[in-house]
Amino acid sequence: MIPLPLGKIPSQNLIRQVNPETPVRDTGFYKAIAVDALGVLSALSLGYIYHGYLSGAFGIALVLGAVGLYGTFTVLQAFLSKGLSHRFFVLFLEVIALLAFFYGTDIRLLGISVGILLALIFWGDINGRLVLDNGLQVKFFKAAFPVLKKFTTAMAIVLVLLYIPQWDQSRLFISENHFRVFYDWASGFVNKVYPEINLDSSFENL
């Protein structure tokens, strides 16, 4: 008989040898979280830049660039968001971030701005999702159009509203000529998308 080697015999724990499947989160989950975070950050940046624009610190090109960046993340969120309730919560954070630098503005004006942003952007997200759900093939631009349409309309209205407190000429940092560029762009877009709404693209008619 062969003698057994002296020493401790390693325990054979069959339960520990079984490696149960560890649940792994879909990579899309982390992408959606990253896009949500960047969306909130881009909204905050837009609010900061537009506030600086009204005080004369930044130019109109930087404002339009910030709007475009935030709009890009808004479209991506329509594709990647895991549910309407989650999207609405993130959108609420974005709206708060965008308006954070206007905390001294009339509360009624801020309330209207919050309502417009939430209603129109969320409406655009729903329309974009409907296009995705009803199509056999995902066509990015077809699904992105209703999102961008409502987003740009919301931006055009709210950014003009936020200019109203600056109308007092005694503390007007930005001239009417400079703001005319933005107003003409905003009113021109709204008139093209909604012909029944007459904003008159002429700034003098205000």
Side-chain angles (χ1 to χ4, degrees), residues 113-133:
S113 299
V114 169
I116 291 174
L117 290 170
L118 288 177
L120 288 180
I121 297 179
F122 193 62
W123 185 6
D125 278 7
I126 293 175
N127 289 343
R129 285 172 175 272
L130 289 176
V131 174
L132 290 175
D133 294 340

Side-chain angles (χ1 to χ4, degrees), residues 27-81:
T27 55
F29 172 82
Y30 297 104
K31 291 179 181 178
I33 293 298
V35 170
D36 288 341
L38 290 173
V40 175
L41 184 60
S42 65
L44 183 67
S45 300
L46 173 57
Y48 172 75
I49 291 172
Y50 187 62
H51 186 270
Y53 170 71
L54 293 179
S55 64
F58 301 122
I60 185 63
L62 192 58
V63 175
L64 295 180
V67 171
L69 181 64
Y70 180 34
T72 300
F73 286 116
T74 298
V75 172
L76 291 176
Q77 286 169 325
F79 280 87
L80 298 176
S81 182

